[in-house]
Amino acid sequence: MDQTTKRYYYFASDMHLGNGSPEESRERERRVVEWLGQIAADATELFLVGDIFDFWYEYKRVVPRGFVRTLGALAALADKGVKIHYFAGNHDMTRIGDVIRKNPNRAKIAMAMLATMRGIPQVFYGEEMMLCSADLSQGHGGLRIDFPGGWAGDKTNLLTAEGRKGMHKELFDFSARLLNWRKSKPVIHNGETMHFMTRDNTYAYFRYDDTDAVFVYINNSGKTVNIPWANYAEVASELKSGRNVLTAEAIEVDGSTKVGPREVLVVEYTR
């Protein structure tokens, strides 16, 4: 709490929704939702530090059922203007780089989702460059690796532009471009979201408000696909020429637009 202005900042972790029996998890969620309702009266910001859901992000092709009450309570807080900070990865769970099997294209997909979703993204150190665990058999000790920042014994210094090379530079630049772009985008901070789910390991969604729209298309499959633009007519029918956020080039998305295997496309529009 800030005593001078009475701003309240709440931190939450280790809810582990999904752990234990269904009955235990439902009771835990009931308490979580009750608490979220209580802090709604005075919360300025909420930090979801980690372990809110157990294994939620580790599914490849589905969004797990359940805990919609928690998601609804978080949405209600956001609608009231509470700033919600969330983290991609944390010190108790397998690093994202390990989950995606050290695939840099999938690391870009994860960062693109983090940068275009509602809320205030937080990055567990090194995730922006896909640092991986030293030894998963060590448990938490293997997850909490030292960051190669030019300290004694380090072979490189990833804190400097000169030290970032190859994949580390590519992923850092990708993350920096997206996260700096979102700073000045109210449509990302406060806009609505419309999702379009499919069964072919692709995923599309729009972030939009009265003046702007952002289209995100994720191809997590192993083949090149055409964007089914006509399926998104509810939002897309009024969108013409846009700007590819990742390349800064003009683009007009339609049914012939191709997205390569394990690639992501982010396009911004003025409505």
Side-chain angles (χ1 to χ4, degrees):
M1 182 183 76
D2 183 329
Q3 293 287 354
T4 57
T5 57
K6 290 191 176 180
R7 295 177 179 173
Y8 291 80
Y9 302 85
Y10 291 90
F11 294 77
S13 69
D14 295 284
M15 297 174 182
H16 293 287
L17 298 177
N19 187 36
S21 69
E23 293 76 16
E24 291 171 336
S25 207
R26 279 195 294 269
E27 172 59 21
R28 195 178 306 117
E29 183 184 35
R30 184 192 66 77
R31 295 179 183 180
V32 168
V33 171
E34 182 180 4
W35 176 73
L36 291 173
Q38 291 171 352
I39 71 171
D42 58 20
T44 300
E45 300 187 31
L46 170 63
F47 293 78
L48 300 177
V49 182
D51 291 343
I52 306 303
F53 303 99
D54 264 25
F55 308 113
W56 216 62
Y57 67 87
E58 298 204 23
Y59 289 86
K60 286 185 177 181
R61 296 180 175 85
V62 299
V63 176
R65 293 187 305 174
F67 313 119
V68 293
R69 295 175 181 83
T70 299
L71 297 175
L74 291 172
L77 285 176
D79 289 342
K80 290 187 58 144
V82 177
K83 294 181 179 179
I84 300 177
H85 302 255
Y86 56 97
F87 292 74
N90 70 76
H91 65 271
D92 282 336
M93 297 295 290
T94 307
R95 278 184 168 270
I96 293 176
D98 299 314
V99 174
I100 61 177
R101 298 182 180 88
K102 303 179 181 180
N103 185 312
N105 288 336
R106 284 178 166 164
K108 290 179 181 179
I109 289 175
M111 188 57 65
M113 292 187 70
L114 184 71
T116 54
M117 289 292 189
R118 191 174 187 174
I120 302 172
Q122 307 292 306
V123 179
F124 185 47
Y125 77 94
E127 301 287 30
E128 74 280 13
M129 289 179 276
M130 202 178 70
L131 294 191
C132 298
S133 302
D135 184 352
L136 289 175
S137 67
Q138 296 177 0
H140 289 178
L143 304 178
R144 302 167 190 173
I145 59 174
D146 290 334
F147 187 92
W151 324 119
D154 287 345
K155 296 180 179 180
T156 186
N157 183 358
L158 295 183
L159 295 176
T160 66
E162 296 76 15
R164 293 189 291 268
K165 302 182 185 301
M167 180 194 70
H168 291 135
K169 181 182 186 306
E170 179 183 346
L171 292 178
F172 179 90
D173 291 348
F174 180 91
S175 301
R177 185 181 304 115
L178 276 173
L179 294 174
N180 279 304
W181 162 79
R182 72 164 277 145
K183 288 180 182 178
S184 60
K185 296 298 171 182
V187 65
I188 297 296
H189 308 158
N190 306 308
E192 301 294 328
T193 305
M194 186 174 294
H195 305 261
F196 293 86
M197 301 295 294
T198 61
R199 297 178 180 272
D200 59 354
N201 218 7
T202 65
Y203 175 42
Y205 58 91
F206 290 84
R207 304 298 316 283
Y208 61 95
D209 57 20
D210 292 338
T211 60
D212 297 285
V214 175
F215 172 61
V216 181
Y217 187 84
I218 294 168
N219 177 16
N220 195 37
S221 75
K223 61 182 180 180
T224 297
V225 299
N226 286 63
I227 295 177
W229 191 243
N231 294 353
Y232 315 143
E234 186 173 355
V235 180
S237 60
E238 63 176 347
L239 303 178
K240 304 304 180 184
S241 181
R243 173 181 173 272
N244 186 324
V245 174
L246 299 173
T247 65
E249 298 174 344
I251 182 173
E252 186 164 339
V253 179
D254 57 27
S256 66
T257 303
K258 298 182 183 297
V259 178
R262 299 187 176 86
E263 288 187 357
V264 59
L265 176 68
V266 182
V267 183
E268 61 178 345
Y269 297 90
T270 298
R271 300 182 76 183

